[in-house]
Amino acid sequence: MSRQLKLGAFLMATGHHVAAWRHPDVPANAGLDFAHYKRLAQIAEAAKFDTLFVADSVAAPTQDIASRMARSDHFEPLTLLSALSAVTEHIGLIATATTSYNEPYHVARKFASLDHLSGGRAGWNLVTSDNAAEAQNFGRDEHIGHAERYSRAREFHQVVTGLWDSWQDDAFIRDKASGAYYHPEKLHVLNHVGEHFRVKGPLNVARSPQGQPVIVQAGSSETGRELAAQTAEVVFTAQTSLASAQAFYADLKGRLPKYGRSADSLKIMPGVFVVVGQTEAEAQEKYETFQQLVEPEVGVALLGRMLGNFDLSKYPLDGPLPELPLTESGQQSRQKLLTELAGREHLTLAELGRRIAGGRGHYSVVGTPAQIADRLQEWFEQGAADGFNVLVPHLPGGLQDFANGVVPELQRRGLFRTEYEGRTLRQNLGLARPGNRFA
Ligand SMILES: Cc1cc2nc3c(=O)[nH]c(=O)nc-3n(C[C@H](O)[C@H](O)[C@H](O)COP(=O)(O)O)c2cc1C
């Protein structure tokens, strides 16, 4: 069978557009409405999406403007995906968990549990936290610096994956007749001692259906790419154009051989923000409906956060983007992307805030299913993507539009599955099941 693209449904409570919560079709309490998420999961699974993807931050914003944004209350991702595992059968479940404000034992245990609960559908989006406010919820005044976060992340990953191999696949026999619960020689105690962590192990969860949950990474700076090349099986990235996505794709795949990895062992899935209409005019009109709801100060607050935790409220709305230092606390890759966008198009602060209010800097396509499929096909066939994490302006409507329009179009072109290939996320993504390092 020819190569087909992978699709993730990025579930962002009310939707990706910052003003979506004010739209009449959107439940404003979506962030804590399980029935809403259940419906999203079922729409995505019926459309044969590979994964549900849930981002995270372990802090709520407190600036004045935050009271006008729907960002302050939402489910914790692993809890949410555990509940969704019970109402779905095939779709992958990717939760974000930070390596900066967690302990590896906790993370290893929770994701192994989710993999068991879901019959092998768990994925961990390993991030280092791009929200500076998290530090103060975990006993620190300042966020951990960029390089230090990645150093901790690398060791965190080693410990988590080591704990996942605590038991060989057939360690637990639970033999009532002989009284043997497990084979002692199939237990492996990690005894990790490193710069950041001391973790003895073993994990108190048997090796999970996928052997190890799928490792996803979102971070596209130089250091982020290197960590991804070493550890990630799926990479989520923000790219503005075909050319930049091709360069990123070639760069990241080019780093794999040095870690003894094949190009196929890592799937690159850029985000794509899509607004679907029956006609191009209808799609534009839909998009404008959301854009009209953006208050300039709200757009600029989102921009400041995406640029790497800057307060831009003191700068004139109709002035240019001010010169900012390289972010230590946020996403350096996104800062670069947004700064280049502002310069290239000579946008004022308010215009840039408005521009990213939906896609947040991700590649954006507003059009008919065929027009959107054309762009996805182009990226997929021209070395820019193995698939896409799909961002829609509002939920559930935007996801339903994509499922009803774009998915059948991709299927007609032979670019997307009509049935799930396997039972586990690894099988559907075409990723090998890792062997146990100790076996
Ligand atoms: C597309 C994308 C999505 C991300 N999603 C999250 C997230 O949900 N939560 C989070 O704390 N960090 C997220 N990050 C940022 C990571 O924490 C990243 O490790 C860190 O900010 C550094 O990014 P950089 O390598 O681009 O500088 C994301 C980054 C990218 C590029």
Side-chain angles (χ1 to χ4, degrees):
M1 197 181 65
S2 60
R3 176 174 167 255
Q4 292 192 318
L5 57 80
K6 308 296 170 196
L7 290 178
F10 189 149
L11 305 187
M12 176 81 103
T14 50
H16 242 80
H17 198 286
V18 75
W21 72 273
R22 300 179 60 197
H23 191 278
D25 295 348
V26 174
N29 67 336
L32 291 171
D33 179 355
F34 183 67
H36 170 73
Y37 276 101
K38 181 176 169 188
R39 185 163 166 216
L40 301 180
Q42 290 172 341
I43 294 169
E45 187 164 75
K48 317 290 182 215
F49 270 77
D50 289 84
T51 71
L52 303 176
F53 179 95
V54 182
D56 197 34
S57 177
V58 281
T62 53
Q63 328 82 296
D64 291 345
I65 194 68
S67 69
R68 308 189 65 77
M69 302 164 86
R71 296 172 63 95
S72 304
D73 63 337
H74 51 84
F75 284 122
E76 187 285 313
L78 274 154
T79 317
L80 172 63
L81 290 177
S82 298
L84 290 176
S85 76
V87 295
T88 52
E89 271 179 57
H90 297 280
I91 197 161
L93 308 164
I94 298 177
T96 297
T98 176
T99 55
S100 295
Y101 304 110
N102 263 312
E103 286 290 329
Y105 198 97
H106 283 138
V107 167
R109 184 182 188 212
K110 289 176 189 175
F111 280 92
S113 295
L114 180 61
D115 208 39
H116 279 284
L117 275 175
S118 62
R121 295 186 282 135
W124 170 30
N125 181 32
L126 181 168
V127 299
T128 68
S129 284
D130 59 9
N131 183 354
E134 296 180 11
Q136 293 173 48
N137 292 332
F138 298 90
R140 298 176 62 102
D141 294 328
E142 299 281 334
H143 193 21
I144 307 170
H146 194 268
E148 175 74 5
R149 293 208 304 277
Y150 271 118
S151 157
R152 186 180 154 104
R154 184 167 282 108
E155 189 180 331
F156 198 113
H157 168 270
Q158 267 174 24
V159 178
V160 168
T161 53
L163 287 170
W164 282 338
D165 285 348
S166 293
W167 307 90
Q168 286 176 224
D169 288 314
D170 54 354
F172 288 91
I173 40 171
R174 305 182 187 98
D175 182 11
K176 294 188 182 191
S178 70
Y181 195 74
Y182 66 79
H183 287 302
E185 70 281 10
K186 297 193 178 190
L187 156 66
H188 303 282
V189 180
L190 185 64
N191 281 316
H192 175 89
V193 181
E195 188 188 338
H196 303 279
F197 304 105
R198 270 198 313 144
V199 182
K200 181 160 182 258
L203 195 66
N204 55 358
V205 184
R207 202 154 191 272
S208 70
Q210 295 187 100
Q212 301 191 352
V214 173
I215 302 288
V216 183
Q217 229 264 112
S220 301
S221 61
E222 170 60 32
T223 334
R225 291 177 192 207
E226 204 55 37
L227 179 67
Q230 198 179 350
T231 65
E233 302 176 282
V234 175
V235 163
F236 175 38
T237 179
Q239 302 295 333
T240 42
S241 66
L242 175 63
S244 73
Q246 285 168 325
F248 178 83
Y249 188 96
D251 176 281
L252 191 47
K253 297 259 177 173
R255 293 175 195 238
L256 296 174
K258 119 171 130 213
Y259 296 105
R261 303 183 60 189
S262 70
D264 248 16
S265 67
L266 173 76
K267 309 294 175 194
I268 299 180
M269 296 177 64
V272 59
F273 174 76
V274 290
V275 184
V276 190
Q278 295 295 325
T279 61
E280 194 178 335
E282 188 196 292
Q284 283 295 347
E285 198 178 309
K286 227 186 241 187
Y287 179 52
E288 267 312 307
T289 309
F290 292 104
Q291 290 294 81
Q292 293 304 331
L293 292 170
V294 183
E295 296 177 281
E297 294 79 6
V298 166
V300 170
L302 177 71
L303 175 65
R305 168 82 171 83
M306 300 306 305
L307 280 163
N309 305 297
F310 292 99
D311 177 7
L312 302 176
S313 62
K314 53 183 180 286
Y315 299 101
L317 287 168
D318 56 359
L321 178 66
E323 288 268 338
L324 299 168
L326 181 69
T327 179
E328 258 304 307
S329 61
Q331 299 179 25
Q332 295 182 351
S333 55
R334 193 78 62 107
Q335 183 182 31
K336 181 163 179 284
L337 177 160
L338 295 172
T339 308
E340 286 170 0
L341 174 66
R344 196 166 59 236
E345 303 198 14
H346 308 289
L347 301 173
T348 66
L349 209 51
E351 285 167 348
L352 184 59
R354 209 171 118 81
R355 171 67 74 83
I356 63 133
R360 297 165 199 230
H362 287 275
Y363 182 57
S364 301
V365 195
V366 179
T368 63
Q371 287 173 322
I372 293 168
D374 285 348
R375 296 282 75 79
L376 302 187
Q377 180 165 8
E378 180 180 46
W379 280 42
F380 178 64
E381 290 178 348
Q382 296 190 23
D386 296 313
F388 300 90
N389 216 3
V390 177
L391 288 52
V392 296
H394 64 308
L395 290 165
L399 185 63
Q400 191 71 70
D401 291 344
F402 189 93
N404 290 350
V406 183
V407 168
E409 182 62 32
L410 292 171
Q411 289 168 331
R412 258 194 299 281
R413 299 180 188 195
L415 292 167
F416 191 58
R417 68 167 67 82
T418 52
E419 278 309 326
Y420 286 101
E421 295 82 7
R423 289 308 304 260
T424 70
L425 175 56
R426 286 185 178 282
Q427 287 165 350
N428 289 321
L429 288 176
L431 293 169
R433 185 180 193 276
N436 189 315
R437 75 198 60 192
F438 301 112

